[in-house]
């Protein structure tokens, strides 16, 4: 890339192009190899990582790990296989979390972007401080609360914690976005006789769809990946999919330990989530850019 | 409200403060009375409901009725003992808000209702209300005579949610298991008469906090009632009329619109973020460790003892210092690397030289789309002894050179083959390096997407102008792209830093904190914590987790002290960076 490169600008351009494609190929290889390894491992017989070939032999492939996921029941008489039940549990938590977080943070973000009121700044600062404190650190107290209300072993109540944790940051995000919508629009509507709620539902909400979409995707994603809260608050009969998968990779739990089962499960889990991510990509890129700028 | 001048008081130009203060005082003593004095009946009733609800809540969850009967002497203590059963059991049932039981859906799915969750608190000590243990035989004991020394137990034995809550918060309980009380032995859990059960300090602390939080909200509303009574009284003198209930309600709705709209957010945060944080912080001032089996022993307030010990003990201090240092290095390294690589990738993909941008981009953001827990566990397997990495090194014949190289540059303590990435003590540095590397795989795509987003917002004209001026590609990058993208992403970078500072998953799921600390370097004062000792890749938060949840070695108070430290550090950092940020300054200037 030095300025004294031999050859004319054309050669330099060719070299640069090769360099670009070379780098892209390298990065994509690094990205794909572990994922491809996952796929191959999930199709390999047995329960040993050492048995996973580097170069897949298609004739040796087996679906036994997928079969395990969709048939294995730890308790006789269970309606659904363990994995499917865990997956559905996580799914319902994720869906409910999406609804709750999107609804609440939009309202809060709207209020914080449009109204001046007593305690607004202290509250914002408090939000900012709270958002850095992971719920993981106050697990003991959360356990106590769940125990007091009889919510232990009931996955759906995890939504409370996820939502409470997600509100501060997302409020900031939505507030930052709404500030870029001119106040004149609200005012015009108010003059025309629209109530505050009407302004919110008829004007703000449609305009804020991209950022709300972003918040919703994030809220949907969060529960799938959480391990600590369900681990402490749910028993094995009510596990979420993260715990189910983790157990498959823990050598200390010999009954379940099987990294190849894990690979299959991880793929089955990752596939729909990845699809959702891609489907919502428009919102995500948008939200990230605005999040980056507004902080 | 509009026609002020017609009233006599306004003609005189002054307001008599007396009645207004009287109304305010009345409201202070009993909410609503001030409003009644002002002639606002419905409003008064609204506020009067506040203490009424509080008292009802207290009474329903209590045994005060029994206490009064006992005091009046109408019923002998012994007879009451069996009466207490039903009342208290009923109270226990109606104790918490009965939400619609969505959880049942899941119970059905998993086909069998199950026992308690992973028991945080050592065995079945407090298995809860379902435990079948210990039925008492009526008449084996009586209520004590609450006149003398036993007075201190009145609230304990009869108190409702609020009084008992506050009592528990201050005392953390008085009677452990096996204590002699009321002529009987205190049981661990007594289904028939819970007041004969041992006190569980942790539960008392939690209930106390919730009671305090509710009382705080009530106090705020109460204070609002006082100020309302005062202002209405003043206004009444000025205008001669009081505002009707409907008008009041509309006004409240109007001015409180913001609070009401954000109330769900506040409530959730109060309940599931603030209270747990306060709870965790309070544990730092107790002596709660694995040595205290709940029920068998009571927790005590010890003030700043734990802080003092951790600050003065050289062993703890030095390990904390090392973990802290690594946490900072980790947060910095991981944030910097993901940002730099994300930037590079964004520049390359968005370069005009590259065709098929969409396809490249789609592949490159894959790691971000895969749930991080999944990728971390895949990498844990990939760096296993038999994992992808070692297999690849063997197959390509690179095992020995790589192993020797890692040894030579000092990352690996020995030139093993295969390489043990996360296990042996001498490979601490290597494990740390790999953690940063894996985090790069996970984190770079996010930053790439973010920067691509920012790139698309940069003004075209700048580049056109630069091109006309003959700026080279590198110059355009150096003087336009870099500063503008940096300026736009500083807040995100700060966020990334504070996120990584507490990036529990990246460490815990990849290495579990391992390799373990060199036993010869463990200070003597720390040997008591056994397997709660941090590993070499543990960052503060994962160590705090270990301190709280390593079975049989729980150090709740130490973990709490460290959480306070982390909270102060990272919260302070967040506030500091926000105060400096553009958007906040703009707002301050408004």
């Amino acid at each position: 890339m030095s300025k004294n490169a031999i050859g004319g600008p054309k050669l330099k351009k060719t070299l640069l192009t090769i360099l670009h494609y070379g780098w892209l190929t390298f990065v994509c290889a690094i990205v794909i190899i572990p994922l491809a390894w996952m796929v191959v491992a999930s199709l390999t017989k047995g329960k040993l990582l050492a048995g996973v070939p580097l170069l897949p032999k298609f004739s040796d492939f087996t679906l036994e790990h997928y079969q395990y996921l969709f048939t294995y029941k730890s308790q006789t008489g269970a309606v659904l296989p363990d994995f499917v039940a865990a997956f559905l549990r996580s799914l319902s938590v994720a869906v409910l979390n999406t609804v709750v977080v999107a609804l609440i943070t939009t309202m809060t973000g709207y209020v914080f972007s449009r109204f001046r009121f007593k305690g607004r700044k202290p509250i914002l600062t408090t939000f900012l401080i709270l958002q850095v404190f992971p719920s993981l650190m106050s697990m003991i107290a959360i356990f106590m609360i769940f125990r007091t209300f009889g919510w232990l072993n009931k996955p759906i109540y995890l939504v409370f914690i996820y939502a409470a944790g997600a509100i501060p940051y997302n409020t900031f995000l939505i507030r930052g976005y709404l500030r870029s919508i001119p106040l004149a629009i609200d005012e015009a509507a108010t003059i025309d006789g629209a109530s505050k709620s009407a302004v919110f539902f008829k004007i703000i909400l449609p305009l804020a769809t991209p950022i709300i979409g972003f918040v919703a995707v994030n809220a949907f994603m969060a529960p799938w990946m959480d391990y600590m809260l369900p681990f402490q608050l749910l028993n094995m009969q009510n596990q979420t999919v993260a715990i189910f998968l983790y157990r498959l990779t823990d050598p200390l739990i010999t009954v379940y330990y099987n990294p190849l089962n894990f690979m299959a499960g991880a793929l089955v889990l990752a596939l729909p989530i990845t699809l959702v991510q891609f489907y919502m990509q428009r919102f995500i890129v948008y939200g990230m850019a605005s999040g980056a700028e507004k902080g | 409200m509009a026609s002020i001048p017609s009233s006599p008081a306004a003609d005189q130009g002054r307001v008599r403060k007396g009645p207004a203060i009287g109304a305010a005082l009345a409201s202070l003593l009993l909410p609503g009375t001030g409003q009644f004095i002002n002639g606002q009946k419905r409003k008064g009733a609204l506020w009067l409901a506040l203490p009424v609800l509080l008292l009802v809540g207290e009474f329903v969850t209590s045994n005060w009725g029994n206490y009064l009967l006992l005091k009046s002497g109408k019923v002998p203590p012994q007879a009451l003992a069996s009466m207490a059963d039903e009342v208290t059991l009923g109270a226990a049932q109606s104790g918490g808000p009965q939400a619609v039981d969505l959880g049942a859906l899941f119970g059905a799915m998993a086909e069998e209702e199950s026992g308690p969750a992973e028991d945080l608190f050592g065995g079945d000590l407090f298995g809860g209300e379902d435990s079948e243990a210990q039925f008492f035989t009526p008449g084996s004991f009586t209520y004590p005579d609450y006149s003398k020394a036993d007075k201190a137990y009145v609230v304990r034995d009869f108190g409702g949610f609020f009084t008992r809550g506050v009592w528990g918060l201050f005392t953390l309980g008085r009677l452990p298991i096996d204590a002699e009380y009321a002529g009987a032995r205190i049981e661990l859990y007594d289904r028939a008469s819970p007041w004969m059960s041992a006190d569980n300090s942790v539960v008392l602390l939690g209930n106390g906090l919730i009671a305090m939080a509710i009382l705080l909200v009530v106090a705020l509303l109460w204070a609002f009632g006082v100020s309302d009574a005062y202002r209405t009284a003043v206004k009444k003198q000025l205008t001669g009329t009081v505002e009707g209930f409907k008008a009041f309600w509309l006004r409240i709705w109007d001015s409180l619109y913001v609070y009401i709209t954000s109330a769900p957010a506040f409530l959730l945060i109060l309940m599931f973020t603030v209270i747990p944080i306060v709870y965790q912080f309070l544990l730092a001032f107790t002596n709660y460790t694995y040595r205290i089996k709940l029920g068998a022993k009571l927790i005590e307030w010890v003030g700043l003892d734990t802080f003092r010990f951790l600050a003065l003990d050289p062993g703890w201090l030095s390990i904390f210092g090392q973990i802290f240092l690594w946490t900072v290095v980790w947060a910095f390294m991981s944030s910097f690397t993901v940002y730099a690589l994300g930037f590079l990738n964004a520049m390359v993909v968005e370069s005009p030289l590259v065709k098929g941008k969409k396809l490249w981009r789609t592949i490159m953001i894959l790691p971000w789309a895969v749930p991080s827990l999944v990728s971390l566990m895949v990498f844990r397997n990939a760096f296993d002894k038999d994992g992808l990495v070692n297999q690849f090194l063997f197959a390509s014949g690179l095992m020995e050179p790589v192993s020797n190289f890692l040894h030579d540059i000092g990352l690996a303590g020995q030139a093993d083959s295969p390489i043990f990435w996360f296990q042996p003590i001498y490979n601490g540095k290597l494990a740390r390096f790999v953690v940063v590397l894996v985090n790069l795989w996970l984190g770079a795509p996010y930053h790439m997407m973010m920067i691509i987003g920012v790139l698309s917002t940069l003004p075209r004209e700048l580049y056109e102008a630069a091109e006309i001026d003959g700026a080279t590609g590198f110059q355009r990058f150096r003087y336009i792209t870099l500063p503008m993208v940096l300026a736009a992403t500083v807040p995100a970078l700060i966020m990334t830093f504070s996120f990584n500072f507490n990036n529990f998953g990246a460490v815990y799921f990849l290495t579990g904190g391992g390799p373990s600390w060199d036993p010869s370097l463990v200070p003597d004062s720390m040997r008591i914590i056994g397997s709660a000792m941090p590993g070499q890749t543990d960052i503060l938060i994962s160590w705090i987790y270990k301190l709280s949840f390593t079975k049989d070695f729980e150090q709740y108070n130490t973990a709490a002290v460290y959480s306070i430290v982390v909270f102060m550090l990272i919260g302070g950092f967040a506030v500091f960076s926000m105060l400096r940020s553009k958007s906040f300054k703009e707002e301050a200037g408004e």
Side-chain angles (χ1 to χ4, degrees):
Chain A
M1 293 245 275
S2 97
K3 278 179 196 165
N4 309 324
I6 311 157
K10 199 164 182 195
L11 181 63
K12 194 178 144 193
K13 197 179 168 188
T14 318
L15 272 175
L16 263 178
T17 312
I18 293 174
L19 215 63
H20 274 71
Y21 282 112
W23 177 252
L24 287 177
T25 316
F26 173 71
V27 171
C28 287
I30 297 284
V31 164
I32 288 175
I33 287 172
L35 300 175
W37 182 64
M38 230 172 123
V39 176
V40 174
S42 76
L43 294 169
T44 307
K45 277 195 184 72
K47 57 185 298 185
L48 295 174
L49 279 177
V52 181
L54 277 183
L55 294 171
K57 251 203 281 173
F58 292 95
S59 53
D60 287 352
F61 278 175
T62 163
L63 287 176
E64 63 182 49
H65 304 300
Y66 293 93
Q67 207 174 358
Y68 168 84
L69 293 176
F70 290 105
T71 54
Y72 177 75
K73 294 175 185 174
S74 59
Q75 271 142 337
T76 44
V79 181
L80 293 167
D82 285 17
F83 175 78
V84 178
F87 186 91
L88 288 180
R89 265 176 231 125
S90 284
L91 181 68
S92 17
V93 171
V95 168
L96 191 63
N97 192 42
T98 312
V99 175
V100 170
V101 169
L103 205 71
I104 291 184
T105 50
T106 311
M107 294 196 315
T108 325
Y110 167 65
V111 160
F112 277 93
S113 74
R114 283 300 196 258
F115 299 93
R116 330 238 119 224
F117 53 91
K118 247 187 218 163
R120 178 162 162 276
K121 210 128 172 222
I123 291 173
L124 276 178
T125 317
T126 314
F127 272 20
L128 190 86
I129 299 174
L130 290 181
Q131 121 204 335
V132 301
F133 195 88
S135 52
L136 167 73
M137 277 207 264
S138 40
M139 187 85 81
I140 302 166
I142 291 174
F143 184 90
M144 289 312 309
I145 292 175
F146 268 57
R147 193 180 162 280
T148 308
F149 291 147
W151 295 344
L152 288 177
N153 304 331
K154 293 173 184 165
I156 207 77
Y157 292 105
L158 290 172
V159 170
F160 284 129
I161 305 172
Y162 295 140
I167 287 167
Y169 174 69
N170 290 321
T171 298
F172 264 87
L173 209 62
I174 292 185
R175 166 183 158 270
Y177 180 85
L178 292 182
R179 276 156 60 90
S180 65
I181 300 176
L183 265 175
I185 299 182
D186 304 27
E187 280 158 11
T190 315
I191 290 168
D192 289 348
S195 70
K196 277 175 187 155
S197 307
V199 170
F200 176 70
F201 283 110
K202 298 239 170 77
I203 297 174
I204 300 292
L205 217 50
L207 281 173
T209 317
I211 196 78
I212 298 173
F214 179 63
V215 167
V217 179
N218 279 347
F220 181 77
M221 300 296 295
W224 297 99
M225 297 182 232
D226 183 50
Y227 172 80
M228 271 17 257
L229 285 169
F231 179 70
Q232 298 292 353
L233 301 176
L234 310 174
N235 58 6
M236 279 311 163
Q237 282 79 46
N238 293 294
Q239 63 194 325
T240 59
V241 75
I243 296 179
F244 179 88
L245 289 181
Y246 188 84
R247 258 197 317 181
L248 295 177
T249 64
D250 190 345
L252 298 177
I253 311 175
T254 40
V255 188
Y256 289 99
Y257 177 70
N258 185 338
L260 303 184
N261 280 346
F262 161 76
M263 296 292 181
L267 271 174
V268 174
L269 168 65
L271 217 63
I273 294 184
T274 311
L275 285 178
V276 170
Q277 294 268 55
F278 274 113
Y279 182 69
M280 304 293 276
Q281 203 177 340
R282 186 165 61 91
F283 293 137
I284 291 160
V285 174
Y286 195 88
M288 275 181 185
S290 85
E293 283 166 48
K294 304 287 165 17
Chain B
M1 280 187 291
S3 56
I4 291 171
S6 62
S7 102
D11 290 342
Q12 289 165 14
R14 63 190 183 81
V15 177
R16 282 177 302 123
K17 290 267 166 64
I21 292 176
L25 272 179
S27 263
L28 185 66
L29 289 174
L30 183 62
T33 45
Q35 279 74 15
F36 282 122
I37 291 175
N38 288 336
Q40 298 171 300
K41 284 192 195 115
R42 281 202 279 177
K43 205 162 150 187
L46 198 66
W47 254 291
L48 194 58
L50 204 63
V52 169
L53 279 177
L54 201 65
L55 282 177
V56 167
E58 164 71 16
F59 198 81
V60 165
T61 52
S62 77
N63 262 332
W64 289 125
N66 281 349
Y67 181 65
L68 293 178
L69 283 178
L70 196 69
K71 277 274 128 184
S72 66
K74 281 180 195 149
V75 185
Q78 195 131 341
L80 261 174
S82 49
M83 247 171 80
D85 310 346
E86 288 146 49
V87 180
T88 334
L89 270 181
Q93 237 103 75
S94 64
Q98 293 292 307
V100 180
D101 204 353
L102 292 168
L105 179 78
F106 296 84
M109 216 176 260
E111 130 288 2
E112 235 186 57
E113 265 302 305
S114 36
E118 302 283 308
D119 209 326
L120 267 178
F121 301 111
D124 278 315
L125 271 182
F126 278 86
E129 285 69 18
D130 314 323
S131 93
E132 293 291 329
Q134 294 115 1
F135 282 89
F136 95 120
T137 32
S140 62
F141 60 88
T142 57
Y143 281 116
D145 170 15
Y146 290 104
S147 54
K148 297 182 293 287
D150 292 332
K151 215 168 202 153
Y153 295 96
V154 172
V155 173
R156 178 194 176 278
D157 294 352
F158 298 100
F161 185 71
F162 295 104
T163 45
R164 201 163 194 274
V166 174
W167 167 83
L169 188 60
F170 281 97
T171 59
L172 294 181
R174 282 180 188 275
L175 296 172
I177 192 169
D178 275 350
E180 282 288 327
Y181 182 63
R185 198 181 66 93
I186 287 284
E187 300 278 4
L188 178 63
Y189 182 76
D190 194 326
R191 190 195 187 98
S193 43
W195 66 280
M196 283 303 290
S197 302
D199 291 331
N200 182 341
S201 304
V202 172
V203 174
L204 289 174
L205 184 55
N207 285 347
L209 266 181
I210 295 171
M212 286 297 240
I214 296 175
L215 288 176
L216 190 73
V217 173
V218 169
L220 280 177
L221 290 174
W222 198 307
F224 179 56
V226 171
S227 104
D228 177 80
Y230 180 82
R231 275 180 298 163
T232 314
V234 168
K235 211 175 262 174
K236 191 178 169 189
Q237 287 184 41
L238 287 174
T239 63
T241 54
V242 289
E243 129 191 82
F245 186 68
K246 205 171 170 195
F248 161 75
W249 195 238
L250 279 176
R251 186 169 60 83
I252 289 289
W253 174 253
D254 213 43
S255 69
L256 283 191
Y257 181 77
V258 287
Y259 299 107
I260 294 172
T261 315
S262 39
F266 293 159
L267 267 181
L268 272 180
I269 288 178
L270 177 72
M271 199 63 196
F272 297 101
T273 311
V274 176
I275 289 181
I277 290 178
V278 175
Y279 187 99
Q280 175 79 356
F281 283 5
L282 286 179
L283 283 183
F285 303 94
T286 67
N287 60 351
Y288 186 26
T289 64
Y290 65 93
R291 287 197 206 82
I292 293 184
K293 296 287 175 232
L294 290 174
K297 265 178 108 178
L298 295 169
I299 298 174
E300 277 163 33
W301 294 111
V302 295
L304 291 170
D305 283 4
T306 318
F307 289 87
R308 209 172 295 131
F309 172 75
L310 293 175
L312 296 180
D313 184 84
W316 280 86
L317 203 58
S318 112
I319 297 293
F320 174 77
Q322 289 174 61
I323 298 290
F324 177 68
L325 195 67
W326 159 237
T327 309
V328 173
V329 170
W330 146 259
F332 184 78
M333 286 290 292
S334 53
S335 312
F336 175 76
T337 50
V338 291
Y339 188 82
L341 185 68
F343 207 141
L344 177 66
N345 286 347
M347 291 304 294
V348 172
V349 162
E350 291 298 291
S351 154
L353 297 173
V354 172
K355 289 204 176 64
K357 287 189 175 44
K358 198 155 183 210
L359 179 68
W360 291 115
R361 238 180 8 218
T362 309
I363 298 174
M364 283 160 87
I365 61 173
L366 265 178
W368 168 78
V370 179
S372 65
L373 185 71
V374 166
S375 2
L376 284 166
M377 290 197 286
V378 168
F379 273 106
R380 186 170 71 169
N381 285 309
F383 282 99
D384 188 87
K385 175 172 68 69
D386 301 323
L388 171 69
V389 179
N390 279 345
Q391 276 189 38
F392 173 76
L393 290 177
F394 273 126
S396 60
L398 286 171
M399 179 51 90
E400 278 206 15
V402 168
S403 187
N404 286 330
F405 174 73
L406 289 175
H407 179 56
D408 289 342
I409 61 170
L411 279 181
Q414 284 177 25
D416 294 313
S417 114
I419 303 172
F420 300 98
W421 299 91
F422 299 140
Q423 276 100 38
I425 291 160
Y426 52 76
N427 273 353
K429 280 183 192 154
L430 183 63
R432 288 179 174 189
F433 177 74
V434 173
V435 175
V436 173
L437 218 56
V438 170
N439 185 65
L440 193 56
W441 190 90
L442 286 154
Y446 177 92
H447 289 81
M448 181 186 82
M449 282 173 77
M450 184 181 78
I451 288 166
I452 288 177
V454 175
L455 281 178
S456 67
T457 66
L458 297 186
R460 289 265 148 256
E461 309 87 61
L462 268 179
Y463 288 95
E464 283 158 15
E467 207 150 358
I468 292 166
D469 289 348
T472 64
F474 177 73
Q475 280 172 328
R476 267 177 286 162
F477 172 74
R478 169 71 185 79
Y479 294 105
I480 302 176
T481 315
L482 186 63
M484 291 193 79
V485 172
L486 266 182
T489 50
V490 162
L493 205 53
I494 290 171
M495 283 279 308
T496 308
F497 182 87
S498 35
F499 171 76
N500 277 325
F501 194 91
N502 283 336
N503 196 342
F504 175 82
V507 171
Y508 190 83
F509 297 118
L510 198 58
T511 67
S516 51
W517 210 269
D518 187 345
S520 64
L521 295 177
V522 177
D524 285 335
S525 57
M526 288 187 80
R527 292 195 192 278
I528 48 157
I529 65 170
S531 41
M533 186 70 196
Q536 296 188 50
T537 49
D538 263 323
I539 54 176
L540 273 178
I541 181 147
S542 60
W543 187 30
I544 290 174
Y545 180 80
K546 278 190 181 173
L547 281 171
S548 306
F549 296 110
T550 306
K551 201 142 180 59
D552 300 330
F553 291 104
E554 296 95 344
Q555 303 279 325
Y556 299 108
N557 57 353
T558 310
V561 171
Y562 287 151
S563 338
I564 294 183
V565 173
V566 170
F567 184 76
M568 300 277 215
L569 282 172
I570 204 79
F573 177 74
V575 170
F576 174 75
S577 49
M578 182 180 83
L579 289 179
R580 289 169 50 99
S581 82
K582 214 172 72 193
S583 72
F584 201 76
K585 272 185 189 154
E586 271 168 18
E587 202 157 293
E590 268 170 16

